[in-house]
């Protein structure tokens, strides 16, 4: 491998309204290599990417592309220099077809006339998807009908069609299942072999280890080191990312399970759920997990009244809960921290206060009027308790980082005083620091007497914070165990096959 | 410079007041301010604030003029048949509320987008009025029959407007309902995931806005002592204009009652001032359109510059 | 990785139901109203649809580029005002003894100017399209007011007379104009890269920008097209009225309705030329059928409103079923 640097960011500074997001960050990408970029949320990764994309102008430092200093970078300039970005946000028009999305702006013409050659468009699209990802997506399918993974694949394929010299992948696997991610990884290997230089930004250190030749760790807007992930173990990289040690990631299990709070009996819904029964007790954290489509999401959504069951019943404190009504669920004391934070959890254009009290306005009302002072004080308390980093209760959610936004969602249900809190993938897109705070708060909530249900596909997280774990497979609960009796291998086996390793052995005999 | 952008609407209003005062001596007089209030501000403010509620909840109401008309229709038709005024008013308001309930049903239950739903209501309302008046013949109250309680005297009318506006402002600013409407308008899914009943909210918003429109209809027909079919539509575009002009005063573009009222005031002052300046009747629309355009240009270009 | 076939069938269901409603209305009129399916009547419907059709086509381009949400996205509320001003300009020039050629040129130029004003306001000044076009529409209808002093301007010219005549194959010239405009715009929007790109801008502006599409110029062009088509409709109006008369603004909401209704005729549920064409025809046929059945015209608006609510409600409900 040659040591020619195709891209060098040197001592980049950038601040927004007096807050320094980057304070002298440097990074050097070698030709034909895959270079990882890691760091907690708020460490400056996305700002650095946006500086590179020409979206933000740096306050100081230089950007060298192909050995040349390139001041005043614009998005257009960056692209013409061969830098292409796969952003986290889905950048595809939902009502375009796959083929149209791939070739938009460079549509194959019919004999050079301003007429789109639809046949060739379709054929080219099918071929390129087959070639790069070995995947068969109909070129006529509308983007909105694709799975998130398929959309990501279309997006990456589109970038590759532009013949990039440098490809920047920002968290490309967040929405992918393992096999899809594997497709992507082998595609990256192939592209690297063809001489493409790749900057790979990810939360997942196993991906970094699998893919990257070098990894740069950012902390507080500055690079704290560039190492080879094959030589430095993940724990070492994590240690570089945070100031404290990781051993205290999960809080100790302190609560004792009490009386049943929520009893689910024989819940069924079409093919998604069949005859699911589960009891949540006071002071207990129950974790559920399973593959995509295993029924964990449907279960959580049904409990919260977002979907109606076809049969079965939900008892809350022994009384029947009206099915299919979020209004009834919240009124009876159920709260949900949804997975899709930006669309379901918080409003970016509302303040911290307005978001946090939305589910419990009656608590702050006297004689039909809102008690603003009481409201502000209550929200202020939770800002302190959860360590929410913000200017105060009147700051817009837009100005908070992902982890802090998630804490606001959590405080919505803390203020509401819910006895049952459902958390759906509570730490997706949340940095390590905020994760620890959220885990601690979940445990504190259980200690204060609430029953908690956590839906998570992160098995380490699941066993770390739960007292009891239930595994879903094809709409049923196939195992329910105390978390302390579960090892990761068994759990993984259950999740992927619906059977324990023991059972499989017995069946084979 | 950001102040100019942010408060462009207020600055434009003040500038117009100064210009009109300088060049049209009659402008700066109590009598003229009364005329602005009675002739322009009173009705439009009610309709525009009704529109503001709907816009704040994330919708739009193209049939708000229909609610004005229906109130006017019920009120005048009953008065013409010697029904006591109080009952006629009640009937008029009830008809206006029906428009609101119909819209809310279409939007909350059938999930038709507000723009289309209220457009459909507008068309249905046109037919109802045409059928009720033989194609649009105005209904006049017989001049020879003075009614002691008929209508409302000028100042009472203005009080009614003031009370309606203040009450709505209070509800939207200080009640949980106002907060919920705001949250629903900005993030309907977040509202649902927070356990708010979005159907009830939609219904309440449309009830309140059609009630305001109904009050406007009663006041309108009281002052002109007649019902002219389809006349409420004349307020639609100005109400939308005032509401969205008002959103320029808010950093995140929220619709607000205060903003809307400033917008209504601007439109009213422009109409009145141009009249006093002696601008030809035919040119007035061109000039007022241009003025509004300029305010929009300053506010919006400032916003995009800030981002 | 299986595709979500279910939502394919739901979109198809929606489309089929929209077509179904259309066919049922036609069948009812065909059975009940004498002469409904006659050649003359069909040509007549086409002729009556021409003005609304041209306006709706312009609006279709704007809504397509604006992304469907007419409150926050793209809409052109100045189309009816431009129609009125176009007719007024044409009639006034003819009344002053100018030739048809000069009048056509001036009218279309006025339309383009209105489009440029809207386009600049939206693209350059970043004014919300709903407001920008509302303000421009106010100015434009004010200009019509100034030009005509709010009265009827009568005008006759060889051009206007020709436009009102019956053309080849016993089909009125205006019906031909509609058919030709439909085909030309179908080519522009559904076949050329311009249409696809405009659609991409509307569906996801950030994506379009990231893909290097000229977002601003595309949007700008859509408003210019809208102004041009509205002014062209003004020429047809002048031919129909033998001059111009106030009241063009009443065309606005029906045209908006037609464009939004047209969305349910497309697989992607976006505005298309074909969908808008069908929706305009649908609305004309309703009016025409009522006339033939001797039902009071006062009913027409209401029945239109109910039918459209019915179609849209059915659309949203069946979509919800499929996605639930």
């Amino acid at each position: 491998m040659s040591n020619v640097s195709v891209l060098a960011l040197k001592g980049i500074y950038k601040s927004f309204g007096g807050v320094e997001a980057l304070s002298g960050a440097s990074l050097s990408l070698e030709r034909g290599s895959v270079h990882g970029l890691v760091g907690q949320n708020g460490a400056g990764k996305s700002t650095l990417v946006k500086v590179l994309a020409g979206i933000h102008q740096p306050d100081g430092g230089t950007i060298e592309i192909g050995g040349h200093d390139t001041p005043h970078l614009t998005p257009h300039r960056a692209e013409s220099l061969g830098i292409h970005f796969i952003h986290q946000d889905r950048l595809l028009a939902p009502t375009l077809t796959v083929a149209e999305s791939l070739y938009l702006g460079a549509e194959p013409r019919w004999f050079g006339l301003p007429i789109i050659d639809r046949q060739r468009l379709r054929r080219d699209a099918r071929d390129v998807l087959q070639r790069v990802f070995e995947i068969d997506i109909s070129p006529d399918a509308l983007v909105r009908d694709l799975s998130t993974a398929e959309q990501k694949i279309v997006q990456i394929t589109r970038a590759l069609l532009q013949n990039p010299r440098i490809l920047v992948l920002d968290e490309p696997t967040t929405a992918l299942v393992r096999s899809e991610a594997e497709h992507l990884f082998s595609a990256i290997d192939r592209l690297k072999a063809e001489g493409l230089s790749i900057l790979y930004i990810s939360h997942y250190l196993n991906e970094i280890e699998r893919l990257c030749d070098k990894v740069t760790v950012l902390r507080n807007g500055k690079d704290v080191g560039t190492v080879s992930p094959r030589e430095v173990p993940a724990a070492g990289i994590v240690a570089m990312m945070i100031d404290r040690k990781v051993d205290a990631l999960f809080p100790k299990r302190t609560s004792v399970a009490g009386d049943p709070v929520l009893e689910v009996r024989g819940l069924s819904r079409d093919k998604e759920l069949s005859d699911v029964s589960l009891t949540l007790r006071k002071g207990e954290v129950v974790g559920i997990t399973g593959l995509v489509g295993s029924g964990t999401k449907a279960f959580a959504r049904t409990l919260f009244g977002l979907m109606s069951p076809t049969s079965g019943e939900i008892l809350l404190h022994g009384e029947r809960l009206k099915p299919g009504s979020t209004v009834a669920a919240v009124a009876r004391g159920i709260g949900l921290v949804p997975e899709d934070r930006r669309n379901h959890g918080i409003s970016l254009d509302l303040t911290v206060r307005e978001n946090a009290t939305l589910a419990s306005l009656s608590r702050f009302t006297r004689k039909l009027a809102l008690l603003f002072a009481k409201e502000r004080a209550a929200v202020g308390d939770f800002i302190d308790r959860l360590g929410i980093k913000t200017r105060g209760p009147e700051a817009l959610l837009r100005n908070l980082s992902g982890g802090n936004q998630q804490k606001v969602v959590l405080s919505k249900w803390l203020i509401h005083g819910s006895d049952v809190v459902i958390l759906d993938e509570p730490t997706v897109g949340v940095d390590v620091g905020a994760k620890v705070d959220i885990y601690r708060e979940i445990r504190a909530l259980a200690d204060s007497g609430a029953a908690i249900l956590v839906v998570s596909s992160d098995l380490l997280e699941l066993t770390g914070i739960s007292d009891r774990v239930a595994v879903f497979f094809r709409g049923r609960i196939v195992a329910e165990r105390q978390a302390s009796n579960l090892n990761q291998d068994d759990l993984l086996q259950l999740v992927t096959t619906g059977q324990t390793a023991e059972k499989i052995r017995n069946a084979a005999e | 410079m950001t102040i100019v952008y942010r408060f462009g609407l207020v600055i434009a209003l003040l500038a117009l007041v100064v210009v009109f005062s300088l060049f049209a001596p009659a402008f700066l007089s109590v009598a003229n301010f009364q005329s602005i209030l009675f002739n322009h501000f009173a009705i439009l403010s009610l309709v525009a604030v009704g529109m503001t509620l709907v816009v704040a909840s994330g919708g739009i109401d193209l049939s708000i003029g229909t609610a004005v008309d229906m109130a006017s229709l019920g009120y005048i038709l009953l008065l013409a048949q010697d029904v006591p005024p109080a009952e006629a008013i009640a009937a008029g308001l009830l008809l206006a509320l029906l428009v609101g309930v119909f819209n809310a049903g279409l939007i909350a239950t059938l999930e038709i987008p507000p723009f289309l739903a209220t457009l459909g209501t507008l068309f249905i309302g046109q037919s109802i009025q045409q059928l009720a008046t033989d194609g649009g013949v105005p209904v006049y109250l017989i001049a020879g029959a003075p009614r002691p309680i008929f209508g409302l005297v000028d100042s009472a009318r203005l009080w009614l407007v003031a009370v309606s506006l203040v009450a709505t402002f209070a509800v939207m600013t200080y009640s949980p309902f106002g907060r919920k409407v705001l949250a629903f308008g900005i993030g309907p899914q977040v509202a649902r995931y927070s356990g708010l009943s979005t159907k009830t909210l939609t219904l309440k918003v449309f009830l309140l806005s059609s009630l305001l429109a109904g009050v406007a209809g009663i006041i309108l027909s009281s002052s002109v002592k007649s019902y002219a079919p389809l006349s409420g539509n004349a307020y639609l575009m100005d109400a939308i204009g005032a509401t969205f002009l008002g959103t320029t005063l808010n950093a995140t573009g929220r619709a607000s009652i205060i903003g809307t009222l400033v917008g209504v005031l601007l439109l009213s002052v422009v109409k009145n001032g141009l009249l006093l300046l002696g601008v030809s009747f035919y040119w007035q629309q061109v000039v007022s359109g241009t003025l509004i355009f300029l305010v929009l240009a300053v506010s919006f270009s400032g916003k995009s510059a800030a981002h | 990785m299986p595709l979500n076939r279910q939502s394919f069938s739901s979109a198809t269901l929606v489309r089929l139901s929209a077509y179904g409603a259309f066919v049922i209305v036609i069948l009812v009129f065909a059975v009940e109203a004498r002469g409904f399916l006659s050649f003359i009547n069909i040509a007549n419907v086409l002729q009556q649809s021409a003005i609304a059709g041209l306006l709706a086509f312009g609006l279709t381009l704007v809504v397509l580029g604006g992304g469907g949400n007419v409150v926050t996205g793209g809409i052109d509320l100045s189309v009816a005002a431009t129609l009125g001003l176009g007719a007024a300009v044409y009639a006034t020039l003819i009344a002053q003894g100018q030739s048809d050629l000069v009048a056509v040129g001036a009218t279309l130029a006025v339309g383009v100017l209105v489009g440029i004003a809207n386009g600049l306001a939206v693209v350059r000044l970043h004014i919300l399209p709903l407001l920008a076009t509302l303000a421009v529409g106010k100015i434009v209808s004010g200009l019509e007011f100034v030009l005509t002093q709010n009265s009827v301007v009568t005008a006759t010219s060889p051009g206007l007379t020709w436009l009102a005549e019956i053309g080849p194959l016993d089909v009125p010239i205006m019906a031909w104009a509609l058919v030709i405009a439909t085909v030309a715009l179908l080519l522009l929007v559904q076949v050329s890269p311009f249409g696809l790109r405009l659609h991409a801008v509307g569906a996801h502006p950030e994506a379009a920008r990231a893909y290097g599409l000229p977002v601003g110029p595309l949007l700008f062009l859509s408003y210019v097209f809208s102004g041009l088509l509205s002014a062209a409709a003004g020429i047809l109006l002048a031919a129909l009225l033998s001059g111009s008369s106030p009241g063009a603004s009443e065309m606005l909401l029906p045209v908006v309705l037609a464009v939004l209704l047209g969305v349910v005729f497309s697989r992607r549920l976006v505005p298309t030329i074909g969908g808008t064409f069908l929706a305009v025809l649908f609305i004309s046929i309703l009016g025409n059928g009522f006339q033939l059945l001797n039902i009071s015209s006062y009913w027409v608006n209401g029945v239109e409103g109910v039918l459209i609510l019915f179609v849209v409600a059915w659309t949203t409900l069946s979509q919800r079923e499929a996605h639930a």
Side-chain angles (χ1 to χ4, degrees):
Chain A
M1 189 191 309
S2 60
N3 275 343
V4 187
S5 158
V6 284
L7 168 75
L9 296 155
K10 292 181 181 165
I12 304 290
Y13 283 84
K14 176 74 192 174
S15 51
F16 299 98
V19 180
E20 209 160 63
L22 291 175
S23 34
S26 300
L27 177 102
S28 173
L29 172 61
E30 287 165 12
R31 185 186 309 282
S33 75
V34 180
H35 194 113
L37 180 62
V38 296
Q40 293 193 43
N41 278 6
K45 282 177 301 177
S46 52
T47 312
L48 195 64
V49 171
K50 280 179 178 157
V51 166
L52 179 59
I55 296 167
H56 293 324
Q57 294 303 315
D59 301 333
T62 54
I63 304 171
E64 286 176 16
I65 297 170
H68 301 287
D69 191 7
T70 46
H72 312 301
L73 203 60
T74 62
H76 187 73
R77 186 89 200 287
E79 198 169 305
S80 66
L81 288 168
I83 309 182
H84 285 262
F85 293 84
I86 308 296
H87 291 287
Q88 252 173 294
D89 302 335
R90 184 197 60 179
L91 274 179
L92 290 172
T95 48
L96 254 51
T97 68
V98 169
E100 287 167 353
S101 306
L102 287 175
Y103 290 96
L104 185 64
E107 307 84 358
R109 303 289 180 95
W110 193 69
F111 294 113
L113 294 169
I115 294 171
I116 300 174
D117 185 341
R118 291 270 165 190
Q119 240 172 341
R120 214 175 90 208
L121 182 70
R122 245 176 246 132
R123 203 178 50 229
D124 289 358
R126 199 185 285 280
D127 290 352
V128 74
L129 284 167
Q130 190 59 250
R131 201 179 66 233
V132 181
F133 279 100
E134 292 160 356
I135 192 173
D136 199 21
I137 301 177
S138 162
D140 289 324
L142 296 184
V143 167
R144 69 159 172 239
D145 294 327
L146 300 182
S147 71
T148 320
E150 289 170 322
Q151 292 182 1
K152 189 63 82 178
I153 285 169
V154 170
Q155 209 185 325
I156 295 171
T157 310
R158 167 162 180 109
L160 295 177
L161 283 171
Q162 319 295 312
N163 291 320
R165 289 165 59 201
I166 301 170
L167 191 62
V168 182
L169 296 163
D170 192 356
E171 300 281 0
T173 58
T174 34
L176 307 194
V177 299
R178 192 176 290 255
S179 64
E180 293 163 349
E182 268 313 318
H183 272 306
L184 176 63
F185 296 156
S186 31
I188 290 175
D189 287 340
R190 230 171 305 149
L191 294 166
K192 182 179 132 182
E194 286 170 21
L196 188 68
S197 317
I198 295 168
L199 185 60
Y200 192 91
I201 297 140
S202 179
H203 272 117
Y204 300 103
L205 294 178
N206 56 348
E207 291 177 5
I208 299 284
E209 201 182 320
R210 155 85 173 74
L211 291 170
C212 299
D213 304 301
K214 289 271 177 62
V215 58
T216 295
V217 181
L218 276 189
R219 190 170 79 208
N220 299 330
K222 200 174 171 351
D223 54 305
V224 290
T226 297
V227 297
S228 164
R230 269 148 220 161
E231 288 155 20
V232 179
I237 295 176
V238 171
M240 290 169 77
M241 285 160 65
I242 54 176
D243 296 317
R244 49 191 148 154
K245 298 274 180 231
V246 248
D247 52 355
L249 201 58
F250 300 110
K252 287 210 165 55
R253 297 190 182 93
T254 47
S255 38
V256 185
D259 297 334
V261 178
L262 185 88
E263 292 163 86
V264 180
R265 291 186 190 153
L267 208 62
S268 298
R269 183 192 151 86
D270 302 337
K271 290 168 204 151
E272 295 167 279
L273 290 175
S274 43
D275 196 21
V276 174
S277 300
L278 188 72
T279 301
L280 303 188
R281 291 167 187 281
K282 196 168 177 320
E284 191 187 27
V285 180
V286 175
I288 60 174
T289 190
L291 296 174
V292 173
S294 63
T296 48
K297 299 267 167 216
F299 184 65
R301 290 174 65 81
T302 308
L303 289 191
F304 192 64
L306 289 160
M307 300 192 327
S308 299
T310 40
S311 67
E313 58 178 2
I314 301 165
L315 300 178
L316 190 59
H317 296 300
E319 279 173 53
R320 204 162 170 275
L321 179 74
K322 184 182 168 193
S325 162
T326 52
V327 179
V330 172
R332 295 280 306 273
I334 302 182
L336 171 74
V337 176
E339 182 182 14
D340 185 350
R341 186 164 56 235
R342 281 170 160 241
N343 287 312
H344 301 153
I346 44 154
S347 283
L348 294 177
D349 281 334
L350 287 179
T351 64
V352 173
R353 174 176 55 86
E354 288 164 336
N355 271 293
T357 59
L358 191 56
S360 33
L361 286 173
S362 57
R363 197 172 289 262
F364 302 100
T365 306
R366 196 168 60 205
K367 287 182 184 161
L368 301 174
L370 284 169
L371 305 165
F372 290 103
K374 191 179 168 193
E375 200 189 347
R376 210 168 288 131
V379 175
D381 286 348
F382 279 99
I383 290 176
D384 294 341
R385 177 171 151 191
L386 296 180
I388 300 174
K389 289 199 188 79
T390 170
R391 263 194 310 106
E394 304 307 312
L396 290 180
L397 257 274
R398 184 173 290 290
N399 300 325
L400 270 62
S401 73
N404 286 305
Q405 290 176 351
Q406 187 72 330
K407 289 180 187 174
V408 173
V409 185
L410 195 56
S411 60
K412 172 158 74 182
W413 301 114
L414 292 174
I415 290 175
H416 179 247
S418 314
D419 344 299
V420 178
V421 178
I422 305 164
L423 299 104
D424 189 358
E425 303 289 353
T427 58
V428 162
V430 164
D431 62 87
V432 180
K435 258 187 195 176
V436 172
D437 292 342
I438 289 170
Y439 293 151
R440 194 192 60 228
E441 236 12 86
I442 289 175
R443 180 51 63 187
L445 199 56
D447 286 346
S448 71
I452 314 271
L453 182 74
V454 176
V455 186
S456 179
S457 48
D458 180 343
L459 300 182
L460 211 62
E461 165 177 295
L462 197 79
T463 46
I465 58 170
S466 309
D467 296 310
R468 196 151 46 95
V469 170
V471 180
F472 279 67
F473 191 80
R474 297 201 175 138
R476 293 173 186 277
I477 293 184
V478 292
E480 204 181 321
R481 304 273 174 81
Q482 290 301 314
S484 47
N485 299 341
L486 261 178
N487 70 45
Q488 294 288 313
D489 294 342
D490 285 351
L491 189 54
L492 191 63
Q493 183 78 39
L494 275 167
V495 167
T496 48
T497 64
Q499 293 179 318
T500 55
E502 205 180 345
K503 237 187 193 162
I504 294 174
R505 267 198 308 275
N506 291 344
E509 280 167 11
Chain B
M1 211 44 201
T2 41
I3 292 193
V4 177
Y5 293 143
R6 176 75 190 282
F7 296 104
L9 183 63
V10 177
I11 293 168
L13 179 60
L14 295 178
L16 282 172
V17 168
V18 171
V19 169
F20 289 146
S21 308
L22 290 177
F23 295 99
F27 180 80
L28 212 57
S29 67
V30 177
N32 187 52
F33 279 137
Q34 278 178 341
S35 145
I36 291 178
L37 286 180
F38 288 131
N39 297 333
H40 302 295
F41 185 82
I43 309 243
L44 181 58
S45 65
L46 289 174
V47 181
V49 166
M51 178 68 78
T52 305
L53 299 186
V54 180
V55 171
S57 77
I60 193 161
D61 185 359
L62 300 182
S63 66
I64 197 142
T66 310
V68 174
D69 285 334
M70 294 312 276
S72 190
L73 168 82
Y75 176 56
I76 293 292
L77 281 190
L78 289 184
L79 272 187
Q81 289 174 10
D82 281 319
V83 172
E87 286 168 34
I89 289 178
L93 293 181
L94 209 63
L95 277 179
L97 286 173
L98 269 180
V99 177
V101 172
F102 186 67
N103 280 327
L106 294 174
I107 295 165
T109 313
L110 297 178
E111 295 181 16
I112 302 179
F115 197 96
L116 266 172
T118 55
L119 196 55
T121 306
L122 170 71
F123 278 85
I124 295 169
Q126 283 179 354
S127 265
I128 291 175
Q129 292 180 63
Q130 285 176 327
L131 289 166
T133 59
D134 202 16
V137 183
V139 181
Y140 296 98
L141 289 173
I142 306 146
R147 288 157 210 272
I149 339 172
F150 162 69
L152 302 150
V153 284
D154 275 357
S155 61
R157 243 188 285 146
L158 216 52
W159 274 112
L160 184 56
V161 174
V163 169
S164 309
L165 294 181
V166 170
T168 312
F169 176 77
V171 166
M172 293 308 287
T173 315
Y174 298 109
S175 81
F177 169 71
R179 178 78 60 78
K180 289 177 188 170
V181 170
L182 180 67
F184 179 49
I186 292 178
Q189 285 301 322
V190 176
R192 182 166 164 244
Y193 274 75
S194 299
L196 305 190
S197 169
T198 53
K199 284 183 183 171
T200 316
L201 272 179
T202 305
L203 178 64
K204 284 182 182 169
V205 163
F206 273 95
L207 280 180
L208 198 52
S209 84
S210 58
L211 182 65
L212 285 166
V215 171
I218 303 284
I219 292 177
L220 176 68
S221 42
S222 307
S223 61
V224 298
K225 298 181 172 55
S226 64
Y227 156 66
L230 308 181
S231 55
N233 265 346
Y235 299 98
L236 174 64
M237 291 300 171
D238 278 350
I240 292 177
T243 301
F244 282 94
L245 275 174
T247 62
T248 61
L249 286 177
N250 185 288
T252 54
R254 292 181 187 178
S256 71
I257 293 182
I258 297 290
T260 299
L261 290 181
V262 176
V264 173
L265 208 54
L266 180 92
L267 296 180
S268 311
V269 165
V270 166
K271 267 186 196 137
N272 171 273
L274 291 178
L275 209 68
L276 292 183
L277 277 184
V279 172
S280 126
F281 179 63
Y282 301 116
W283 278 100
Q284 278 175 25
Q285 225 189 126
V286 180
V287 177
S288 67
T290 311
L291 279 172
I292 293 168
F293 189 87
L294 290 176
V295 173
L296 291 172
V298 170
S299 310
F300 277 89
S301 61
K303 241 171 219 163
S304 62
H307 278 292
Chain C
M1 238 178 289
L3 282 174
N4 189 349
R5 301 283 170 207
Q6 205 174 29
S7 52
F8 267 94
S9 59
S10 93
T12 315
L13 186 69
V14 164
R15 215 151 35 110
L16 284 183
S17 55
Y19 286 113
F22 197 7
V23 169
I24 288 170
V25 167
I26 289 178
L27 284 179
V28 169
F29 285 147
V31 173
E32 294 291 323
R34 286 190 79 150
F36 176 75
L37 282 184
S38 69
F39 181 79
I40 291 178
N41 191 51
I42 291 169
N44 200 9
V45 167
L46 277 175
Q47 180 175 24
Q48 284 166 356
S49 311
I51 292 170
L54 289 188
L55 291 183
F57 287 157
L59 192 57
T60 301
L61 287 169
V62 171
V63 177
L64 182 65
N69 185 334
V70 290
V71 179
T72 54
I75 191 162
D76 186 351
L77 294 182
S78 70
V79 287
T82 311
L83 167 77
L85 181 61
V89 166
Y90 201 103
T92 309
L93 285 174
I94 296 295
Q96 286 175 352
Q98 297 288 346
S99 71
D100 276 310
L101 204 62
V102 171
V104 168
T107 306
L108 295 183
V110 164
V112 169
L113 280 178
V114 174
I116 288 175
N118 283 323
L120 286 179
V122 171
V123 176
R124 278 276 147 169
L125 302 175
H126 304 282
I127 305 177
L128 204 61
L130 184 84
L131 292 180
T133 57
L134 188 69
V136 168
K138 211 172 163 87
I139 299 171
V140 170
S141 61
L143 288 172
E144 182 198 343
F145 224 49
V146 171
L147 192 62
T148 65
Q149 310 282 300
N150 200 24
S151 59
V152 175
V153 178
T154 42
T156 44
S157 72
L160 291 179
T161 315
W162 177 76
L163 274 176
E165 274 171 3
I166 304 291
L169 303 176
D170 284 340
V171 173
I173 299 291
M174 273 193 218
W176 277 116
L178 178 65
V179 170
I180 291 168
T182 309
V183 172
L185 285 163
L186 267 175
L187 288 175
L188 179 72
V189 177
Q190 254 62 54
V191 177
S192 85
F194 168 79
L196 177 64
R197 292 171 186 185
L198 188 63
H199 174 183
V201 169
H204 200 321
E206 294 85 33
R209 201 164 282 126
Y211 290 2
L213 294 187
V215 172
L218 283 169
L219 285 179
F220 180 81
L221 267 182
S222 73
Y223 286 95
V224 172
F225 270 118
S226 178
L228 182 67
L229 286 164
S230 306
I235 299 176
L236 298 189
L237 184 64
L240 203 68
L241 301 174
S242 300
S244 87
S245 77
S249 66
E250 281 168 25
M251 287 292 287
L252 177 61
L253 292 175
V255 165
V256 173
L257 193 65
V259 174
L260 297 183
L261 178 65
V263 167
V264 300
F265 288 108
S266 85
R267 153 163 103 106
R268 311 176 192 214
L269 294 178
V270 298
T272 55
I273 294 299
T276 299
F277 178 74
L278 288 178
V280 168
L281 275 192
F282 191 25
I283 292 172
S284 291
I285 281 172
L286 276 181
N288 174 267
F290 273 42
Q291 215 174 1
L292 294 180
L293 290 176
N294 263 329
I295 299 174
S296 155
S297 66
Y298 308 153
W299 282 100
V300 173
N301 278 332
V303 172
E304 262 174 42
V306 170
L307 254 177
I308 278 142
L309 289 177
F310 178 76
V311 170
V312 178
W314 167 241
T315 307
T316 43
L317 285 180
S318 53
Q319 252 187 318
R320 188 168 56 174
E321 285 299 306
H323 280 288

